[in-house]
Amino acid sequence: ESGHEWWGNSVSCKDIADMWIHEGFCTYTESMYVECLYGNDTAIRYINAKKNHVGNKKPVVGIYGVNEEGSGDMYEKGALFLNTLRSVVNNDARWWSLIKGMCDTTFKMKNIGYEDVVEYFSKKSGKDLSAVFEQYLKHTGIPVLEYKLKKAKRGEFDFIYRWVTDVKNFSMPVIFSTGGMSKQYLNCTNDFQSSRIKLKKETDFKVFEDLEYIETKKQ
């Protein structure tokens, strides 16, 4: 409830269909608190533990104009979506500036809606995030990464990948490692793309599903 005192009393939704603005951000502040006290790795484990509480049976955004909230997933899925969005922005200084700026300056003491938040994050991040918001908040499914690895030559594989989503023209980075914890980012769309990667053995390949709320499907 401390999250509501910090967040909800400053920024409020103008239609309860957008209650995720209250509850998703409030739940996300839990992981912010954990990160502040115990570091990023612990915070990532904390927020990913919430996956077991997401049903994905009804959209997070409710129906406008009829006094109807969205799914109860607005809490856990909302927080997992924001954790994903942080990885999409891929600049922590900018990310925390975005989070703080929402309640401190841009929307302080205002009633806002879905489009306001999408426009704010897109403009401030310099990325069109409309499709990402729509997939996570207006559909039940989460992005599915379909991929395969084809050995090209010794120490190299062709990484073939795409997102399967409800939203058309979806674009979001895929975050992976070819060994160890070093992260690589490749932009990924609904169309299959191929990238030659250095990889000693196929089992070294890892997708960072803890940084983005996704499913993976290896072909």
Side-chain angles (χ1 to χ4, degrees):
E1 290 305 308
S2 295
H4 285 301
E5 294 301 320
W6 174 82
W7 179 267
N9 286 357
S10 178
V11 182
S12 201
C13 61
K14 55 189 176 184
D15 188 311
I16 64 168
D18 282 326
M19 276 295 291
W20 64 274
I21 295 173
H22 284 263
E23 309 300 359
F25 279 94
C26 179
T27 306
Y28 184 65
T29 62
E30 296 176 14
S31 68
M32 291 170 60
Y33 179 74
V34 172
E35 182 167 349
C36 182
L37 289 183
Y38 305 109
N40 180 257
D41 290 347
T42 303
I44 292 297
R45 291 198 299 272
Y46 179 90
I47 203 164
N48 276 272
K50 295 183 179 295
K51 288 178 178 177
N52 293 331
H53 302 286
V54 179
N56 283 325
K57 295 179 180 179
K58 183 180 174 183
V60 168
V61 173
I63 300 173
Y64 294 103
V66 293
N67 198 39
E68 182 175 326
E69 294 182 6
S71 165
D73 284 346
M74 69 178 76
Y75 297 85
E76 285 81 10
K77 187 175 183 179
L80 286 160
F81 163 64
L82 289 170
N83 184 57
T84 301
L85 205 58
R86 178 181 180 179
S87 293
V88 174
V89 171
N90 193 26
N91 181 320
D92 272 357
R94 182 173 296 172
W95 174 249
W96 295 124
S97 175
L98 283 167
I99 292 295
K100 193 171 187 294
M102 277 197 73
C103 66
D104 279 1
T105 53
T106 305
F107 299 124
K108 185 176 182 179
M109 305 304 287
K110 292 181 180 179
N111 294 330
I112 65 173
Y114 174 90
E115 296 296 340
D116 297 308
V117 182
V118 176
E119 182 181 359
Y120 171 79
F121 274 90
S122 295
K123 182 179 179 179
K124 295 292 186 180
S125 68
K127 304 172 187 284
D128 182 359
L129 300 171
S130 55
V132 179
F133 270 83
E134 183 179 348
Q135 180 61 48
Y136 280 97
L137 302 181
K138 292 192 172 183
H139 294 273
T140 55
I142 59 176
V144 177
L145 177 68
E146 283 189 350
Y147 75 95
K148 54 187 173 182
L149 295 167
K150 292 178 63 176
K151 189 168 185 177
K153 59 183 181 180
R154 185 175 181 180
E156 293 186 3
F157 282 75
D158 286 323
F159 174 37
I160 303 163
Y161 56 98
R162 72 167 179 176
W163 291 119
V164 178
T165 56
D166 300 283
V167 178
K168 294 180 180 179
N169 301 316
F170 183 87
S171 177
M172 188 171 80
V174 55
I175 309 170
F176 65 96
S177 170
T178 55
M181 295 303 292
S182 177
K183 303 178 186 66
Q184 298 185 47
Y185 290 71
L186 284 175
N187 191 51
C188 184
T189 66
N190 295 129
D191 299 320
F192 274 116
Q193 301 170 71
S194 181
S195 180
R196 183 70 57 88
I197 59 175
K198 295 187 181 297
L199 186 64
K200 290 182 180 179
K201 56 183 185 297
E202 193 169 332
T203 53
D204 286 341
F205 185 82
K206 172 190 174 183
V207 177
F208 285 91
E209 294 182 64
D210 56 348
L211 299 180
E212 295 179 309
Y213 183 38
I214 60 173
E215 294 179 11
T216 57
K217 185 178 180 182
K218 188 172 183 295
Q219 297 181 328

